[in-house]
Amino acid sequence: MSALRTHPDGYALSDDPARLDLDAVHAVLTTSYWSPGVARETVARAAAGSLAFGLYAPDGAQVGYARVVTDRATFAYLADVYV
């Protein structure tokens, strides 16, 4: 189930995987201290296997990302967060 939450300032948070800009996510993650040089394919597989969220500016550009590794019942691990 996809959800979209929009703040009064125009920023939106969405869990719609089709809306994610995985090229932008990869560009950030590949330079982060926790996943330097991570492959684009690995980023895509990680997002597909997780509950992933994108944060979007009023112009629609993706400006943040977070993913939750979860069994959707009793366990969750927050990973790859940036804004």
Side-chain angles (χ1 to χ4, degrees):
M1 183 171 110
S2 218
L4 175 67
R5 302 281 185 248
T6 303
H7 191 269
D9 66 6
Y11 282 81
L13 181 66
S14 174
D15 67 348
D16 181 356
R19 191 167 179 191
L20 290 173
D21 181 349
L22 291 178
D23 289 330
V25 172
H26 176 253
V28 172
L29 294 182
T30 195
T31 61
S32 69
Y33 72 87
W34 66 88
S35 59
V38 65
R40 166 68 168 73
E41 179 183 322
T42 301
V43 171
R45 287 181 57 209
S50 303
L51 179 57
F53 295 88
L55 177 64
Y56 304 92
D59 67 1
Q62 185 172 331
V63 295
Y65 176 78
R67 68 184 182 91
V68 179
V69 181
T70 181
D71 63 7
R72 297 179 187 242
T74 61
F75 169 81
Y77 178 85
L78 183 61
D80 295 337
V81 179
Y82 72 83
V83 176

